[in-house]
Structure formats: structure tokens, C-alpha cells
Amino acid sequence: MTSLHHSPGAGTRSLIIALTAFFTVVDLFATQAVLPLLAQAYGVPPAMMGIAVNASTLGMASAGLAVALFSQRLDRRLGVVISLVLLAVPTALLAHAPSLEIFALLRILQGLCMATAFSLTLAYLGEHVSAEDQAGAFAAYITGNVASNLVGRFVAANVAGDYGLAINFYLFAGLNLAGALLAWATIHRTPKMSEMAAPAHMAAGNRLRGLTTPRLRAGFGIGFCILFSFIGVFTYVNFVLIRPPLTLGMTAVGFVYFVFLPSILLTPQAGRVAARWGTRTALWLGLGTAAAGLPLLVSGQVGAVLLGMTLVGAGTFFAQATATGYVSRVASDRAAASGVYLAAYFSGGLVGTAVLGAVFDRFGWAACVAGVGLALALAALLGRRLTPLPQVQQA
């Protein structure tokens, strides 16, 4: 198979990148679509079930840091393939998790595997895709992430609703193995970073200093705020959808997640917007779009809530694609920077689950949405530190 770097065309390369992302993170958010069923099965309130389901973000944050520390010793292809094969194990075991604690532990193990594959793939793209194509490559990867949200949630809601939770988890374990086969076929083996050029020989202190520049710190903070916001909306909106006055069934909830379809179309444009108008403008455009959807989420009308979800999804994914590509471009050690970015990103998801879940249980949906608005505002402020890069302007 041809490597991503030497793919016969941008379209083929982008499709491979998007499919790799899809299979890597399809388990992450799909389970959120069946939160009401899980809460009922385990007999726990929404916030507690939300924390258990999103415990995967703890594993992802931990794995992101581990990849940042040890990435120079890891073969990208082998690491991605092994991670996805191992991911199928806890995914299948979720089908019969006997307690909420075991369920949460299995989700953490899923997160470890997903983030390792995710981080190593981002590092591979940063190292093996030409500079002029990087913005588009990262946007393609985030687009696959978006698609996994749409398809994963739709499939999970319908399969779990019609055939039960166990069949749902077995199906997703099969998708994990499909992702491993795709990675094996399309990612070429790369030398360990210790075998490569100068950046691989940086001392640990230099690597650490290289990850604490104002630009990168801002990028990491933005990643934290983005998933904090996304988790706050798309975890707890599931309970809003099935309760009065909306009162949707599980099949209808599955179809609701076609609100991610515009995100699939718009996210690939993030690289082009950043190249033409700058990273900060692209980031603010995404965050502003997400913020515009927040008032609609509390309207109590199905059409308005769906439009609000559409805007939040499109805006946060657009902003994530922008931030992810920026961090990789400004970092001297791309693998380490990608790992730390993902650690910050998924830490935001974990904190968002806990904080906004408590807010949701105690003060209601409107207060939860207000918390999301504060996180988006903070991300916009941090965006001021994303100074323009000449290579982005010339892409």
C-alpha cells in the first residue's frame, strides 16, 4: 500500500485519514447516545452514569501524556495497529460489565487504547505529510472524528434500542478490528524517532521547554475548553431529548445525531480558512458558531434544539481542527505536542463531565448550557495567543 505521504491524490489520502480517525474514536462518543438506557440498566442518576461513560477521557488523557514522554521510541504503524486490536477487548467486555465500577474501568482502558492510536496517527501526519498539505490532513482527521460521532451515535442508539446493549458493544468491537486492518494496510512502518534527525535527540529538558511556549500553552488550553464544552452539551442533552417537553424515543434520538452531518461537510474547510484568513480567525469563527447555538438548546422546542446542536457540533469541530493543526505546526516535537494536546483536550472532557454533570443534576439544563458558554469564551480569549504563522498564510 502507498503511504499517506505519497498517496496518489489528495482525495484518496484524505479518505484514508478520515477512515482511520473514524475507526479510532468511534467508541468514544457513541456510548453517550445510549446513556439513558445505561442509567436505567445500572439504576444510577444521569451525572453518575455520565462520569462512568466519559471515564474514557481519563484513559485518553493519561495515554496522551505517555505518548508525549515515550513517543520517540514508538513505531507509529505498529503502535496504532496494536492499540486498535487491544481496544476491541474492553469494548467487547462492556457487553456484560457487572457493575458501574467495572464499566468505568473498561471505559478507561478503552481511552488508553484510543488515545495511543490517536496520538501516534497525529504524529505520523505531522512527520510524513508535506507542510502545504498538513492543514488539510488534520482537517480530514477531525472530519473522520466527526463522522464517528454521527455514525457511532446513530448506530448505537438504534442497535441498543432494538437488539440490546450487549449486541451494540460487540458490533463496536468489530469496528475496532476493522480499524486495525486499515492502519496495517495504509500506514507504512517508520523508524523510531531516536533513529531520525535532530529533534529526536533533544534532551528531556529541552523537550519540556519546547512544549511550554505561549503558543502551545494557549493551544492546549483551547483544546481543554473545546471538549469541556462539547461534552457538556452532547452528554446531557440525551436526557433532555427523552424528557418532557421533547419526549423522544431511542430510535428518534439516534436520528437526532444527523445534526453532525453539516460538521462533516464544514470541518474539512478549517484548514483552508486558517490558510487564507489566519488561525485566530478560523478559531473564532468556530467558537462563535458554537456559541450561537447555545440559546437554542434551552428553547424547549425540538426544531430549535436540533439547530442548536447542529451549530455547537459544527463550531466545536471546526475549532478543534484549527487548534489541532496549529499545535502540530508550531511544535518542534510534534509527537510530544500532539500527546500533550490530547491530554489537555480529554482532561477537559473529564472535568466537563464532572462539573457540568453536577450542575445539570442540581441546577438544570439551562445552567449547564451557561457553563458551556463560559468555556467557549475562555477558549476565544486564549485564541489571542495563536500568533500568525507564515507557512499557514502561504499554504
Side-chain angles (χ1 to χ4, degrees):
M1 275 283 182
T2 306
S3 71
L4 297 181
H5 180 55
H6 296 99
S7 57
T12 300
R13 182 190 62 226
S14 295
L15 177 61
I16 292 171
I17 292 170
L19 284 173
T20 302
F22 175 89
F23 288 121
T24 300
V25 296
V26 70
D27 299 279
L28 180 59
F29 297 119
T31 310
Q32 291 180 356
V34 295
L35 263 172
L37 290 179
L38 288 167
Q40 182 179 14
Y42 286 97
V44 295
M48 188 175 296
M49 195 68 241
I51 291 173
V53 165
N54 292 318
S56 55
T57 58
L58 175 60
M60 298 194 82
S62 302
L65 289 176
V67 170
L69 292 173
F70 303 110
S71 60
Q72 294 179 341
R73 304 177 184 179
L74 299 177
D75 175 83
R76 289 11 177 173
R77 180 200 193 197
L78 189 60
V80 172
V81 171
I82 291 176
S83 297
L84 293 177
V85 170
L86 292 177
L87 174 59
V89 177
T91 303
L93 291 176
L94 282 169
H96 300 288
S99 67
L100 190 65
E101 292 78 13
I102 297 298
F103 186 97
L105 177 61
L106 291 171
R107 287 292 285 172
I108 291 172
L109 294 176
Q110 279 188 306
L112 289 169
C113 296
M114 284 187 283
T116 301
F118 199 100
S119 300
L120 291 176
T121 304
L122 289 179
Y124 182 89
L125 294 179
E127 295 158 1
H128 297 278
V129 175
S130 62
E132 62 271 18
D133 290 334
Q134 278 188 17
F138 283 106
Y141 197 72
I142 302 305
T143 300
N145 188 344
V146 179
S148 74
N149 269 267
L150 190 163
V151 178
R153 291 171 191 266
F154 175 77
V155 170
N158 284 278
V159 172
D162 293 340
Y163 303 103
L165 290 167
I167 297 299
N168 171 69
F169 289 121
Y170 289 141
L171 174 62
F172 280 91
L175 293 178
N176 300 151
L177 296 177
L181 288 174
L182 177 67
W184 182 262
T186 58
I187 299 178
H188 276 190
R189 185 185 184 280
T190 60
K192 297 181 180 66
M193 287 298 290
S194 58
E195 302 169 12
M196 297 174 71
H201 299 288
M202 289 191 299
N206 289 336
R207 293 186 75 201
L208 181 61
R209 283 192 292 273
L211 295 174
T212 57
T213 65
R215 286 172 170 173
L216 286 178
R217 289 201 306 269
F220 300 152
I222 290 167
F224 180 98
C225 293
I226 288 174
L227 195 58
F228 182 102
S229 303
F230 183 89
I231 285 281
V233 172
F234 288 100
T235 295
Y236 300 108
V237 74
N238 295 286
F239 295 97
V240 175
L241 292 172
I242 66 170
R243 294 172 178 174
L246 304 182
T247 321
L248 301 181
M250 286 306 300
T251 299
V253 169
F255 281 99
V256 158
Y257 288 104
F258 276 93
V259 297
F260 290 121
L261 187 58
S263 301
I264 295 177
L265 302 176
L266 293 174
T267 301
Q269 308 307 316
R272 296 185 180 92
V273 173
R276 184 167 184 178
W277 288 296
T279 299
R280 285 182 292 189
T281 299
L283 177 74
W284 289 334
L285 177 62
L287 296 174
T289 300
L294 298 183
L296 300 174
L297 294 176
V298 297
S299 66
Q301 300 178 350
V302 173
V305 171
L306 295 183
L307 178 57
M309 293 172 66
T310 301
L311 292 173
V312 172
T316 52
F317 277 118
F318 195 94
Q320 185 198 357
T322 303
T324 303
Y326 180 87
V327 165
S328 181
R329 291 194 301 274
V330 301
S332 56
D333 188 339
R334 292 188 175 95
S338 294
V340 174
Y341 174 83
L342 290 177
Y345 178 73
F346 290 113
S347 294
L350 184 64
V351 174
T353 299
V355 172
L356 295 178
V359 170
F360 179 76
D361 276 352
R362 179 170 296 186
F363 302 108
W365 178 232
C368 180
V369 171
V372 170
L374 292 175
L376 292 175
L378 178 57
L381 288 174
L382 290 171
R384 294 173 59 87
R385 299 186 180 183
L386 304 187
T387 54
L389 295 175
Q391 58 265 42
V392 173
Q393 300 295 340
Q394 295 167 4

